[in-house]
Amino acid sequence: MGKGFEEFEPIFGRIKAEWENPNSNSLSSSLLPFLLHVQALDSSRLRIHVTDFHSTWEATRSVQQLEDLRDDVGIGGSWSEFVDYLIASLKSDNVKLVLGGIIGSAKSGGDHGATFAKLIAHKSKGMPLVTISLDRLMNSSANDAMASLSLELFEAFKSKHELVVKEQECSYQLTRRLSAEKEKNESIQNQLDVALFSKRQKLRALAASDKALPTATPIGNLDILPISDSHDSSGNPPMEVRPLSTKVGHRVVPAYRRAKVRGVLLDDTEDGGGN
């Protein structure tokens, strides 16, 4: 953040008030809780309002005045670090309003009669204190401040409410989608269960049919009846089973194993025995 408050979000809080001098007669007037409102008037000024709707207090600080406050508080580092610490302190539960006034100046109607006030805040225990003096507003200025605070508080509530409604709508839509996906998954799972059950039934049926088939008898266990010379009931003579012949017939000698003829004997039949 630069030295400006363009992105400053309004701060609202409920703070307790106490007397600076608790032994004074001012304690005869009870103190109500106060509302705190911090807003950016422009890019260079912050305004603080504190009210219990009986008395209203105000402080306006420029960037230069906050720089001086930074030196008084003793916080080093960058400007943005100081602003972050200031915002965290004002948002914390460690904020209180300290009142002081003339003894016996309390008024009727809930007005405690304080003549000065200061806002004291710190981020956490042991951290530096931020102290801001406040000026009391009177008459129309006080009424305007309370009206402005009430209107800003309503606008902040409206914005938060719209945000919550939007988040609830998104959550509802996500819940519906999740429910639809769940139903879809359950439907797919049911279909898978049906398919698996049908497959198991088929496997069981196939296993049962395999058990019902007759068992084949080994050939060695069969009894072979001898062939009878008598005819069967049809009048046909029984077929005679003859063993395969083991005799080997004449085999043709391969050509390469035949006796080779070395020459040809010529017989001169015309001359009848030669010359």
Side-chain angles (χ1 to χ4, degrees), residues 110-136:
D111 190 350
H112 40 66
T115 58
F116 68 87
K118 56 185 176 181
L119 192 68
I120 300 176
H122 59 283
K123 183 176 180 180
S124 59
K125 186 176 180 180
M127 299 293 287
L129 296 176
V130 177
T131 303
I132 301 175
S133 298
L134 303 171
D135 299 322
R136 182 166 182 173

Side-chain angles (χ1 to χ4, degrees), residues 146-173:
M146 288 186 288
S148 175
L149 186 150
S150 300
L151 182 59
E152 291 290 336
L153 187 61
F154 170 76
E155 292 295 337
F157 167 77
K158 182 179 178 181
S159 176
K160 296 294 183 181
H161 178 69
E162 291 177 352
L163 182 61
V164 170
V165 170
K166 185 180 295 185
E167 291 294 332
Q168 289 177 342
E169 180 65 23
C170 291
S171 177
Y172 174 71
Q173 294 296 335

Side-chain angles (χ1 to χ4, degrees), residues 88-238:
S89 299
L90 294 174
K91 287 183 176 181
S92 71
D93 296 330
N94 305 308
V95 185
K96 64 180 179 179
L97 179 68
V98 178
L99 300 171
I102 300 174
I103 298 175
S105 64
K107 301 178 181 180
S108 60
D111 190 350
H112 40 66
T115 58
F116 68 87
K118 56 185 176 181
L119 192 68
I120 300 176
H122 59 283
K123 183 176 180 180
S124 59
K125 186 176 180 180
M127 299 293 287
L129 296 176
V130 177
T131 303
I132 301 175
S133 298
L134 303 171
D135 299 322
R136 182 166 182 173
L137 299 177
M138 303 297 292
N139 302 326
S140 60
S141 297
N143 293 334
D144 291 343
M146 288 186 288
S148 175
L149 186 150
S150 300
L151 182 59
E152 291 290 336
L153 187 61
F154 170 76
E155 292 295 337
F157 167 77
K158 182 179 178 181
S159 176
K160 296 294 183 181
H161 178 69
E162 291 177 352
L163 182 61
V164 170
V165 170
K166 185 180 295 185
E167 291 294 332
Q168 289 177 342
E169 180 65 23
C170 291
S171 177
Y172 174 71
Q173 294 296 335
L174 290 175
T175 302
R176 288 188 58 185
R177 292 179 183 178
L178 181 62
S179 178
E181 289 295 329
K182 185 177 180 180
E183 292 180 358
K184 182 179 179 180
N185 291 338
E186 290 178 352
S187 176
I188 295 175
Q189 186 62 45
N190 291 335
Q191 294 177 9
L192 289 175
D193 292 341
V194 171
L196 289 175
F197 178 78
S198 177
K199 186 175 182 179
R200 292 193 190 100
Q201 291 294 97
K202 291 180 180 179
L203 290 176
R204 290 174 182 172
L206 289 175
S209 62
D210 291 342
K211 291 181 180 179
L213 292 176
T215 304
T217 304
I219 297 177
N221 296 336
L222 295 178
D223 295 332
I224 301 176
L225 298 177
I227 299 176
S228 174
D229 293 337
S230 60
H231 297 281
D232 58 8
S233 58
S234 61
N236 297 322

